[in-house]
Amino acid sequence: LPPRLKKIYSEAQRSYTIPISVLFDMDGVLVDSEPVINAAAIAGLAEFGVHSKPEDFIPFIGTGEDRYIGGVATKYGVPYRLEMKERVYQIYLDIVDTQIHIFEGIHELLVILKEKKMRFALASSADRIKINANLKAAHIDPSLFEVILSGEDVQNKKPSPDIYLLAANKLGVPSSDCFVVEDALNGIQAAKAAHMRCIAVSTSFSAEQLVKENPDFICKDLFEVRKVLTGE
């Protein structure tokens, strides 16, 4: 095993005597939906006179669609309106089934965690309509998760820790027993603010970018995430 993973396993074994509770982000972790929402946002905002570029959205990844769409609209001097998000979601739902990419290993990972009696939740800044669409497109059974939270369940979105703290509360476990799996810089900040260990996956940002947010572990894919969580 790579030295960093050996260190991970020894730390986890020393620190935990009970199953780890795992809190998953969705976009960029379970599914590679970032390119899809980016395309939908660019097309939707154009109908409101906002002619944006893909890179405009990078600072808002992981913060929920109100901020994702609204932040870019504001950048171009156009006040955000709820109709913008509604239109973007209409476009997203039309294309998600054919354009979304499922990260290899996600189905196996969830089944293995369930078999090992680990408790896990989905905590996404996205609205519930997007969560449902993504899980359906990825053929992921929602019942695998004990708890599913959307950005609509909290007032303060990531990088605020609220959604991860709420997920731990719903699971009935302390924050210190939780691992968060994240891809976004804002999500890592949320996990660290919640005093949880964070596994960062370099699917949306490079390892060099992720390390600046001081995640506990950086993995290149879900197979490395599985090794961190199970030692297998």
Side-chain angles (χ1 to χ4, degrees):
L1 294 176
R4 61 175 175 153
L5 289 182
K6 289 182 179 178
K7 178 175 181 291
I8 287 166
Y9 304 152
S10 62
E11 287 183 355
Q13 290 170 357
R14 287 197 304 269
S15 302
Y16 289 90
T17 57
I18 60 173
I20 297 169
S21 298
V22 187
L23 312 181
F24 287 97
D25 178 45
M26 179 181 65
D27 299 299
V29 173
L30 304 184
V31 292
D32 187 14
S33 52
E34 296 296 351
V36 187
I37 191 62
N38 190 263
I42 290 172
L45 282 175
E47 297 179 12
F48 295 88
V50 179
H51 301 288
S52 56
K53 302 182 292 295
E55 58 268 26
D56 292 330
F57 298 86
I58 292 175
F60 309 109
I61 292 175
T63 61
E65 266 62 60
D66 287 295
R67 184 67 178 140
Y68 186 81
I69 298 164
V72 173
T74 301
K75 175 182 176 179
Y76 283 87
V78 179
Y80 174 62
R81 294 154 46 192
L82 185 59
E83 294 92 328
M84 293 176 176
K85 182 175 72 171
E86 292 172 347
R87 179 56 183 142
V88 169
Y89 273 148
Q90 287 176 349
I91 297 171
Y92 186 86
L93 293 177
D94 284 341
I95 64 177
V96 64
D97 286 341
T98 58
Q99 295 193 19
I100 201 168
H101 173 71
I102 305 166
F103 286 120
E104 189 177 358
I106 183 56
H107 295 96
E108 295 82 357
L109 174 60
L110 295 177
V111 170
I112 287 170
L113 296 185
K114 183 69 72 172
E115 289 175 348
K116 289 184 174 295
K117 310 299 183 184
M118 291 188 185
R119 309 186 66 193
F120 52 97
L122 176 60
S124 170
S125 291
D127 288 1
R128 179 68 65 153
I129 188 173
K130 186 183 179 192
I131 293 175
N132 292 342
N134 282 358
L135 293 178
K136 180 181 177 182
H139 304 290
I140 296 174
D141 183 357
S143 68
L144 287 170
F145 300 94
E146 285 190 50
V147 174
I148 296 180
L149 296 177
S150 74
E152 296 159 297
D153 293 311
V154 292
Q155 182 174 355
N156 301 310
K157 311 298 189 294
K158 302 171 188 176
S160 165
D162 291 21
I163 195 165
Y164 285 131
L165 293 173
L166 180 60
N169 180 265
K170 292 285 188 180
L171 287 175
V173 298
S175 297
S176 58
D177 283 352
C178 295
F179 266 54
V180 171
V181 185
E182 265 286 356
D183 70 301
L185 306 182
N186 288 298
I188 298 171
Q189 293 172 21
K192 301 303 288 185
H195 303 290
M196 298 176 179
R197 293 193 179 190
C198 183
I199 304 171
V201 189
S202 56
T203 51
S204 301
F205 294 89
S206 69
E208 290 75 19
Q209 291 172 299
L210 295 173
V211 75
K212 295 177 181 178
E213 300 301 333
N214 196 35
D216 296 274
F217 318 115
I218 297 178
C219 296
K220 66 179 180 181
D221 55 31
L222 290 173
F223 295 104
E224 282 199 358
V225 171
R226 172 179 165 180
K227 290 178 181 178
V228 172
L229 294 175
T230 68
E232 299 178 353

